Amino acid sequence: MASVSSTSSLGNTSLRGFGGMASGIDRDAIIEKMTLGTTTKISNRKKEVTKLQWKQEAYRNLSDKIIDISDKYASYTSTSNLKDPFTFAKNIITAMGREEATRFVKATGSSRLIDNISIKEVSQLATSTVLQSQKHINDNGIQTSLNGLTGTITPTSMLNGTKLIFGVQDGDGRWTNTKTFEFKDTYTVEEDGKEVTKKISYVPKMITDSVTGQERLETDEEFAERLTGELNEALKNSDIVIGEDKDSPGSGVKIGEAIKFQYDKANGTIGIVSGGKGLPGNYTINGASTALKALGYEKSGSVSVADLGPVSVDKFADSALRRPETIDYLTNKKLTFDYNGTRKEITLLTKDEADYLKNIEENYKFKKNPDGTNSTVETGYVDADGKLTESGKKKQLEDLATLIQGRLDRAFGENAVEAGVTDKGLSFKTGSSSGESSSVSILSNDTELLQNLGIAYGESNKVNTGGKLNQSALGIDASQYTLADSDELDLVINGERIHGLTKDSTIDDILSKINSTPGAGVKATYVDATGQFMLVASETGAGRNIELDSELANELFGVGTGDKAGQIVQGENAKIKVSYGNGVDVDLERSSNIFNLEGLNVTVSGIFGGDWNEINQADYDSNNKNHKVITNADGSKTYMKWTADSSETVTFSAKADVDGVVEKVKGFFEDFNALVADINGQVRTRPDSSFGPLTDEQKDEMDETSIENWENKAKQGILYGDSIIRDLSGDVEGIFTKLLSNGASYEDLKKIGISYSEDWSDGGTLVFDEAAFRSAMETDPEKVSNIFTGGGEVKKGLISIVDDTFTPYATRYASRNSNGNPGSGSYGRLIEMAGSEKKPTTLFKNEIYKQIEEMNKMIDKLQDQLKVEQDRYISQFTTMETLLNQMNTQSSYLSQLNG
């Protein structure tokens, strides 16, 4: 055994007294010997704790394997379940017959009538009720707000991208220790432990007017107030620190505490003010900062916050925003058009074209077209002052449309997409060469341009699902359809209110909320090809009505009237003719295309066994189940008759999943026998008394491999002689006998490849013959099933016997060991003794844990006792050393006197 280390148990005791400086005595070694009795007790208790932990580990190893076997082979939720007769049944079903019919039939499960039943025909599939809304198509196409080219257009930002620079200016005008805050269009905040990116709009945004309910641009005042709030949030979440000393982390002032933006609604001003703490020390703002000019300040040099003061909103807006002439703004701007899935980028106006449109005197005094042709007829486009009249402004916009049209024709083909002018302004729509199913949408990423044109990303001549209810294809004023006591939209389908929607919700939001509301009983989508919403009943079959129970539901999904009307097609039941043999046929009607047929789960996906043929109305008989009438989209009716074809009858064959079952059963015997081997090892292996737990000192003198080998040897036989393990071993050895006593014959077990090991040392091991088992599964799977699951003459199957044998020792379910007394169950003897990670509540509630706790308390007391003993001896030695030192001093002094 490894030798005991000589390391002192006292530690560095020289700090607690004199260690033999005067006496020359090895104080620590003496104290160690004097306290040896106590340290030995501590060492022995620690070894006992280690042994208990090893026992706990050994118990848990067995209990975990028992639970794993139960989970894997005795649980109905497991894919390796061997307790369910269905596992061994002939459950691989094949549809037999002509391919024209069998391709429409799939079946799983098992049936005792597998050889008798057949499906002669499926004359009708189960369908869902479908509501197709009226067509939401805007005949005017995509309508922009661009109603003229004179004047200015919505502003662009002069502030975005500018910088505010802070620093210290010396006597020579040089700036040092500078920090820069950039006016970016995004900033980051932390929400629920995650970083979230927020956006800042440096130009007026489109908002919904609280009075009219219509969308409009923010006023300068609204813009200033909103931007002030967003900039302050960006400052607050910035990590910029002004005046931070590199040698003093945490010094300085965060920019959000140094300055802030302030909007004064009463006085109509906006400005930069102190953020509370103000700029530190001699820090100021560099007057050359580009942001100052963009904010309306005219400063230079070193600028304090107090020097800034407020500026009027008008001055701020004039500085922060550029309001270009409309024609100049549109020059070289591009829009991305999507026409039936093909995307092209189209230039709105070139430089030369812009110059042409600006030349009012030359081009609009007389009739003149962009191609250069003109007429001597006066047009009335220009007034006496040389300014465009209203008709002149419209002609100028029409000329722009003509120029754009040429590029659209080259991109998508002539008249595929048409640019035009309506009473509201410039518009785009599908042209005369497009069918009704065609669509055009604008997908430009230039959000500023889209905003200036008054359209949203994805705007379409049909419904833009990324847009809101007020888009041109719908024209729904959402504010008219909110609940009286909240901003929530009043949308009710099939009596179920769709929650979580407001007037700002997009069409995608609305469809998503409907689809995630099970009570509505429908799935909603938008079909771009037809411009219609579609509601499909979640369940197939007849009688599944779709009710629109609010005005908004009718606006969106209503069928409507006229040439854009939609329709409701009622769901139908599946109709199947089944033969049971000997001329016994049964007509089934089911609400689903998946149904149970004498134990088989059958799915049909098409009509077979005959055809529907059109007949005259006069030959139609409403009482004949083989007749039906179809109502067409235009309201006309078609009369049909079913003509059967028995040559398409589908029969079924079944076989067991031999390969799959063999793998599961083989795995069971491997796991079971591995557990039996572990149990036998614990029962029969005697511990070697020459090996035991190592102390920390001993481990310090050994390498990792040596420690591992030592402890593996010391753990062997840790449960030798344990009464629980002896009982478990005996019960396991009796499993084969229990199986025989429950009705399984030795001959049948041998036929299916199961026998008991004849080697007495195997103690409960079961022998598995894979070849014999496979043969039995192929010829008599029912017999195999009976032995494993119980059935026939076998009262209880092998898996139940194994599970019942192990349950008193380890189980997930304490109720199984309750003897019918609720609340009094046990997770098994092994778990009661050592706990299990598979039942976390038992980890600190088991017998060994209690013993370890008591042992640790005893160790704590012994360690306290050891410290008292050590301190006492240290004190005594210190006193002795002090006296000896004094005596030595006196002796030296006397020697000096005697010369």
Side-chain angles (χ1 to χ4, degrees):
M1 185 173 177
S3 62
V4 178
S5 171
S6 61
T7 302
S8 172
S9 65
L10 298 178
N12 186 8
T13 58
S14 63
L15 298 178
R16 298 163 57 195
F18 299 100
M21 296 178 63
S23 65
I25 298 173
D26 186 350
R27 183 198 65 179
D28 288 359
I30 293 174
I31 293 177
E32 275 199 346
K33 291 179 180 179
M34 296 174 74
T35 58
L36 183 60
T38 304
T39 54
T40 302
K41 289 179 182 179
I42 292 173
S43 178
N44 290 338
R45 296 298 181 272
K46 287 183 176 180
K47 289 180 179 180
E48 289 178 31
V49 168
T50 300
K51 283 187 176 182
L52 285 172
Q53 291 171 337
W54 289 349
K55 273 189 152 185
Q56 195 174 52
E57 179 185 338
Y59 277 123
R60 288 179 180 179
N61 177 56
L62 295 176
S63 63
D64 286 353
K65 288 182 178 179
I66 288 173
I67 290 177
D68 285 343
I69 288 175
S70 179
D71 288 347
K72 192 172 181 181
Y73 303 108
S75 171
Y76 287 98
T77 60
S78 169
T79 57
S80 299
N81 169 39
L82 295 176
K83 200 173 184 179
D84 187 351
F86 182 76
T87 301
F88 304 90
K90 294 181 178 181
N91 50 30
I92 298 180
I93 310 299
T94 303
M96 310 287 289
R98 290 173 57 181
E99 196 273 336
E100 293 91 332
T102 56
R103 63 194 176 102
F104 294 127
V105 180
K106 292 189 183 334
T108 60
S110 63
S111 174
R112 295 184 182 277
L113 297 178
I114 192 74
D115 297 326
N116 302 88
I117 55 176
S118 60
I119 299 178
K120 299 183 73 172
E121 62 185 51
V122 175
S123 58
Q124 182 171 285
L125 289 175
T127 58
S128 297
T129 297
V130 178
L131 182 154
Q132 291 174 289
S133 76
Q134 59 188 314
K135 296 176 182 177
H136 294 286
I137 300 176
N138 184 359
D139 294 331
N140 292 324
I142 302 169
Q143 183 64 60
T144 76
S145 60
L146 186 67
N147 55 13
L149 299 180
T150 58
T152 59
I153 202 162
T154 306
T156 57
S157 175
M158 301 296 290
L159 182 59
N160 189 10
T162 61
K163 298 177 180 179
L164 200 58
I165 304 172
F166 304 86
V168 177
Q169 188 179 36
D170 62 20
D172 296 327
R174 291 174 297 189
W175 288 88
T176 58
N177 301 325
T178 58
K179 289 294 179 73
T180 301
F181 176 76
E182 184 176 353
F183 287 75
K184 298 180 180 180
D185 53 10
T186 61
Y187 62 94
T188 302
V189 301
E190 185 174 316
E191 293 181 357
D192 300 326
K194 297 180 181 179
E195 286 194 348
V196 178
T197 299
K198 300 283 187 178
K199 291 186 177 181
I200 299 176
S201 175
Y202 288 92
V203 296
K205 295 172 65 175
M206 294 295 292
I207 61 173
T208 302
D209 192 286
S210 59
V211 177
T212 65
Q214 300 298 312
E215 287 200 345
R216 61 170 176 80
L217 277 176
E218 292 173 320
T219 63
D220 286 349
E221 289 75 14
E222 291 168 333
F223 164 60
E225 183 175 13
R226 189 258 308 156
L227 183 59
T228 297
E230 292 179 353
L231 289 176
N232 282 333
E233 283 295 308
L235 286 172
K236 185 173 69 174
N237 288 281
S238 172
D239 56 4
I240 295 174
V241 177
I242 300 171
E244 183 175 25
D245 186 342
K246 64 180 181 180
D247 295 326
S248 179
S251 62
V253 178
K254 293 189 68 174
I255 189 171
E257 298 173 327
I259 66 165
K260 69 176 181 178
F261 292 88
Q262 186 175 74
Y263 170 72
D264 187 337
K265 187 172 185 179
N267 295 315
T269 60
I270 184 174
I272 297 175
V273 298
S274 174
K277 292 185 177 180
L279 290 173
N282 53 354
Y283 274 82
T284 58
I285 300 173
N286 189 332
S289 299
T290 53
L292 288 179
K293 184 177 181 181
L295 289 166
Y297 294 108
E298 297 176 2
K299 300 289 183 180
S300 61
S302 175
V303 182
S304 69
V305 174
D307 291 336
L308 292 175
V311 297
S312 69
V313 168
D314 289 342
K315 185 176 182 181
F316 161 73
D318 288 342
S319 301
L321 301 171
R322 179 175 69 89
R323 294 182 169 94
E325 292 290 326
T326 303
I327 291 179
D328 291 334
Y329 176 79
L330 293 177
T331 301
N332 293 324
K333 290 288 186 180
K334 297 179 180 180
L335 281 179
T336 300
F337 286 81
D338 184 301
Y339 174 69
N340 293 338
T342 299
R343 295 186 182 183
K344 299 284 186 178
E345 192 173 59
I346 303 298
T347 300
L348 295 180
L349 196 61
T350 67
K351 179 66 169 60
D352 291 341
E353 292 167 348
D355 291 341
Y356 166 82
L357 294 176
K358 287 181 180 179
N359 195 348
I360 296 173
E361 180 67 23
E362 178 67 23
N363 297 315
Y364 292 98
K365 184 174 181 180
F366 300 97
K367 271 190 176 178
K368 191 164 187 177
N369 299 313
D371 61 3
T373 61
N374 66 346
S375 169
T376 58
V377 179
E378 292 286 344
T379 62
Y381 294 152
V382 182
D383 61 20
D385 297 324
K387 302 286 183 68
L388 286 175
T389 63
E390 289 303 315
S391 59
K393 293 177 182 178
K394 183 175 181 180
K395 177 64 169 64
Q396 191 183 45
L397 192 61
E398 288 173 345
D399 286 348
L400 173 64
T402 300
L403 295 167
I404 295 173
Q405 185 64 58
R407 287 186 276 276
L408 289 171
D409 287 346
R410 288 191 291 274
F412 301 113
E414 190 171 347
N415 295 323
V417 178
E418 293 182 358
V421 177
T422 68
D423 292 341
K424 294 182 178 180
L426 184 68
S427 67
F428 304 96
K429 64 179 181 179
T430 53
S432 56
S433 66
S434 302
E436 189 182 70
S437 63
S438 294
S439 65
V440 60
S441 59
I442 294 176
L443 303 173
S444 176
N445 288 319
D446 189 338
T447 55
E448 183 184 86
L449 176 59
L450 293 179
Q451 182 170 293
N452 286 329
L453 293 176
I455 56 178
Y457 180 91
E459 195 74 26
S460 172
N461 64 316
K462 296 180 180 176
V463 174
N464 170 23
T465 58
K468 301 177 184 179
L469 289 166
N470 62 353
Q471 61 185 273
S472 56
L474 294 173
I476 297 175
D477 182 0
S479 63
Q480 301 299 313
Y481 298 103
T482 56
L483 297 173
D485 56 350
S486 73
D487 293 331
E488 187 170 276
L489 291 178
D490 183 17
L491 182 62
V492 185
I493 299 173
N494 285 335
E496 184 79 10
R497 186 175 303 284
I498 311 300
H499 293 288
L501 298 171
T502 70
K503 59 185 177 60
D504 293 320
S505 297
T506 66
I507 302 304
D508 280 329
D509 293 335
I510 293 172
L511 299 178
S512 178
K513 287 291 185 182
I514 292 172
N515 292 335
S516 61
T517 306
V522 295
K523 294 300 178 184
T525 190
Y526 173 72
V527 183
D528 185 73
T530 63
Q532 293 172 291
F533 290 103
M534 186 176 291
L535 297 181
V536 181
S538 302
E539 302 289 341
T540 56
R544 309 283 188 181
N545 295 324
I546 298 177
E547 303 291 342
L548 305 177
D549 299 318
S550 67
E551 292 184 23
L552 178 57
N554 276 291
E555 282 279 348
L556 271 177
F557 306 112
V559 172
T561 58
D563 59 349
K564 292 185 179 180
Q567 64 175 337
I568 295 180
V569 179
Q570 296 295 332
E572 296 179 325
N573 290 334
K575 293 183 178 180
I576 310 105
K577 185 183 289 293
V578 176
S579 172
Y580 285 82
N582 296 324
V584 179
D585 295 343
V586 177
D587 290 317
L588 303 180
E589 191 167 328
R590 296 290 183 265
S591 62
S592 172
N593 295 313
I594 302 173
F595 53 92
N596 184 277
L597 183 60
E598 307 303 332
L600 295 181
N601 296 313
V602 179
T603 301
V604 292
S605 56
I607 292 172
F608 63 89
D611 288 302
W612 287 103
N613 300 301
E614 187 174 348
I615 59 175
N616 295 323
Q617 181 178 358
D619 296 327
Y620 172 71
D621 181 0
S622 60
N623 295 318
N624 190 329
K625 63 183 180 181
N626 290 322
H627 288 196
K628 72 175 181 179
V629 60
I630 298 173
T631 302
N632 303 308
D634 60 3
S636 62
K637 297 183 184 298
T638 301
Y639 299 91
M640 310 291 288
K641 177 184 178 181
W642 175 262
T643 302
D645 180 0
S646 60
S647 69
E648 293 186 346
T649 297
V650 173
T651 59
F652 299 97
S653 67
K655 66 176 182 178
D657 180 12
V658 176
D659 291 338
V661 174
V662 166
E663 286 306 307
K664 293 176 185 178
V665 171
K666 183 178 178 182
F668 164 75
F669 282 108
E670 289 174 352
D671 291 345
F672 175 82
N673 286 333
L675 173 58
V676 172
D678 283 352
I679 296 170
N680 288 335
Q682 293 292 355
V683 169
R684 295 172 184 157
T685 302
R686 293 177 178 272
D688 187 339
S689 59
S690 60
F691 289 86
L694 296 169
T695 65
D696 292 339
E697 291 78 10
Q698 290 170 329
K699 288 181 180 179
D700 289 340
E701 297 175 358
M702 302 168 68
D703 59 39
E704 291 295 325
T705 302
S706 298
I707 293 172
E708 183 179 356
N709 291 336
W710 180 282
E711 291 191 340
N712 286 338
K713 184 68 175 176
K715 289 178 183 180
Q716 290 180 5
I718 193 69
L719 297 180
Y720 180 77
D722 184 272
S723 60
I724 298 176
I725 303 303
R726 286 201 306 269
D727 290 346
L728 174 59
S729 176
D731 287 342
V732 168
E733 289 184 12
I735 286 177
F736 192 80
T737 303
K738 289 179 184 177
L739 183 58
L740 294 174
S741 65
N742 271 278
S745 71
Y746 185 83
E747 291 75 16
D748 285 344
L749 288 170
K750 189 173 182 180
K751 284 179 182 177
I752 71 167
I754 299 175
S755 59
Y756 190 75
S757 175
E758 295 180 358
D759 186 342
W760 69 270
S761 64
D762 286 343
T765 299
L766 297 178
V767 179
F768 175 61
D769 184 339
E770 182 178 339
F773 181 82
R774 181 179 292 275
S775 176
M777 276 298 299
E778 290 172 346
T779 58
D780 196 355
E782 186 173 359
K783 178 179 289 185
V784 177
S785 175
N786 289 343
I787 290 174
F788 273 84
T789 69
E793 296 180 355
V794 181
K795 302 185 206 60
K796 183 180 288 188
L798 173 62
I799 302 303
S800 291
I801 290 173
V802 169
D803 201 28
D804 290 349
T805 299
F806 286 142
T807 292
Y809 296 94
T811 178
R812 286 189 184 276
Y813 310 103
S815 59
R816 296 188 63 184
N817 289 319
S818 65
N819 295 320
N821 299 318
S824 64
S826 161
Y827 291 110
R829 295 172 67 185
L830 294 174
I831 295 178
E832 292 293 324
M833 179 59 71
S836 170
E837 290 186 358
K838 294 184 182 295
K839 296 301 298 184
T841 56
T842 67
L843 291 176
F844 306 105
K845 190 179 179 181
N846 59 77
E847 186 60 34
I848 291 180
Y849 179 81
K850 292 178 184 177
Q851 293 177 25
I852 292 174
E853 285 284 280
E854 290 299 319
M855 198 68 69
N856 283 331
K857 290 179 183 178
M858 189 178 299
I859 291 172
D860 289 341
K861 288 181 180 179
L862 288 170
Q863 287 176 332
D864 290 342
Q865 178 182 327
L866 176 62
K867 184 177 183 304
V868 169
E869 292 175 1
Q870 290 173 339
D871 288 346
R872 184 173 70 250
Y873 291 134
I874 288 172
S875 176
Q876 291 173 355
F877 269 98
T878 301
T879 300
M880 181 187 74
E881 291 289 333
T882 302
L883 291 173
L884 286 175
N885 189 53
Q886 291 174 351
M887 293 174 65
N888 288 336
T889 301
Q890 291 175 355
S891 175
S892 176
Y893 176 73
L894 291 172
S895 297
Q896 291 175 2
L897 289 177
N898 292 329

